[in-house]
Amino acid sequence: MRLCAEHVDWRVHGRRLLDDVSLTVEPGETFGLVGPNGSGKTTLLRVLAGLRRPKAGRALADGRQMQTMRPHEIARAIAFVEQQADTLDRLAVRQAVALGRTPFLTPLSPWSEEDDTIVDQALAEVGLETMAERLWHTLSGGERQRVHIARALAQRPRALLLDEPTNHLDIRHQLSILRLVRRLPITVIIALHDLDQAMDCDRIGVMEGGRLVDIGPPREVLTLERLRHTFGVHADFLDDPEQGRPVLRFRRAL
């Protein structure tokens, strides 16, 4: 699925959170959004997920304006994993993941064995198959995040948008989730704080003050000058023979 933002603006109480942002993410691409806190990453993700209507400009999914699409149409094509979401409902893990199938259920197409299989696969993909009956309130923050990712996978989306999905995960699960995301044969847009993780994206976009200030392959965009100017840090690139790519070594903040 191709996702586009065309000259998108978004304001809240007179404050401009997105300023004339234009972006096209190609089908099957893994695109990273990076930038300081408050730079507009989450707002842009929500616009591209069809959850916010731009104040100006437009968002498109495969050439269709999202403003003209019904919510269930968007939900069948695009899954969004928030940075942190909670529920007061007394749900088991499996029930929470099964919510990902909701857009596909109708009176003529009720729950089926295929839906059971899809939920089982989503649980297995995030390593939660043994916790399917655990209740939501007994889960750690990292476990809850993995449930949200499984719920998104259960939607079988053509585009997956994730807002800093590794924030609450230990390093082992960070790496496993990122490996899973990278091998998905769908369009992925992922907001990241960890710039080393962003190096594995096909392309990245740098947000600063609500503007998309740079876009391209990670090594071309994350120059030492960009790291100083946008992120306020001094860093060096080191060659990692094991990973086969450059890695960042941060020396100090400005």
Side-chain angles (χ1 to χ4, degrees):
M1 168 169 276
R2 178 178 287 105
L3 292 176
C4 299
E6 294 183 349
H7 303 291
V8 166
D9 276 42
W10 177 266
R11 300 185 187 201
V12 175
H13 304 304
R15 181 188 171 204
R16 180 173 282 178
L17 301 183
L18 294 178
D19 182 0
D20 194 26
V21 173
S22 292
L23 168 68
T24 297
V25 181
E26 298 295 339
E29 183 176 17
T30 297
F31 187 90
L33 277 177
V34 299
N37 286 339
S39 59
K41 299 187 300 294
T42 296
T43 304
L44 179 57
L45 280 178
R46 294 183 71 85
V47 168
L48 290 169
L51 299 175
R52 285 185 175 168
R53 179 173 293 189
K55 304 296 183 182
R58 59 182 187 166
L60 302 99
D62 278 343
R64 292 185 62 189
Q65 288 195 52
M66 289 191 188
Q67 293 95 319
T68 69
M69 298 173 66
R70 296 179 179 179
H72 80 272
E73 288 183 279
I74 296 174
R76 287 182 176 186
I78 301 172
F80 178 58
V81 178
E82 297 185 72
Q83 187 174 147
Q84 188 168 1
D86 216 335
T87 178
L88 297 177
D89 293 335
R90 193 173 177 82
L91 293 178
V93 166
R94 184 180 181 82
Q95 291 174 308
V97 175
L99 292 175
R101 302 304 301 156
T102 302
F104 302 92
L105 302 179
T106 70
L108 297 178
S109 299
W111 190 272
S112 68
E113 289 185 6
E114 181 183 6
D115 296 302
D116 280 323
T117 299
I118 290 172
V119 170
D120 288 340
Q121 290 174 345
L123 286 166
E125 284 172 333
V126 300
L128 289 175
E129 60 267 52
T130 62
M131 300 173 61
E133 303 309 317
R134 283 270 303 273
L135 293 177
W136 178 264
H137 70 273
T138 69
L139 302 177
S140 68
E143 290 165 343
R144 292 181 182 188
Q145 188 68 353
R146 286 157 64 199
V147 172
H148 287 308
I149 293 170
R151 184 266 310 157
L153 294 176
Q155 284 179 241
R156 292 288 177 90
R158 290 189 291 135
L160 175 62
L161 279 61
L162 305 104
D163 189 6
E164 298 178 18
T166 61
N167 263 9
H168 302 286
L169 303 181
D170 59 47
I171 186 62
R172 178 169 69 92
H173 287 112
Q174 283 186 32
L175 294 174
S176 66
I177 291 299
L178 290 171
R179 282 196 300 269
L180 168 63
V181 167
R182 284 196 295 271
R183 71 171 184 261
L184 292 172
I186 61 176
T187 305
V188 175
I189 306 177
I190 180 169
L192 292 165
H193 261 313
D194 189 319
L195 298 181
D196 260 331
Q197 293 175 356
M199 295 295 291
D200 284 329
C201 295
D202 297 318
R203 289 189 302 151
I204 62 172
V206 180
M207 299 292 297
E208 184 178 334
R211 297 175 58 243
L212 186 63
V213 296
D214 207 348
I215 187 170
R219 188 62 183 89
E220 294 179 12
V221 170
L222 292 179
T223 62
L224 301 184
E225 180 181 358
R226 172 61 64 194
L227 292 170
R228 288 193 299 269
H229 181 272
T230 298
F231 298 94
V233 294
H234 285 291
D236 297 306
F237 280 99
L238 303 177
D239 290 325
D240 187 330
E242 184 174 324
Q243 297 189 43
R245 64 167 177 80
V247 295
L248 283 165
R249 183 190 70 174
F250 296 99
R251 290 186 277 125
R252 60 184 174 86
L254 297 182

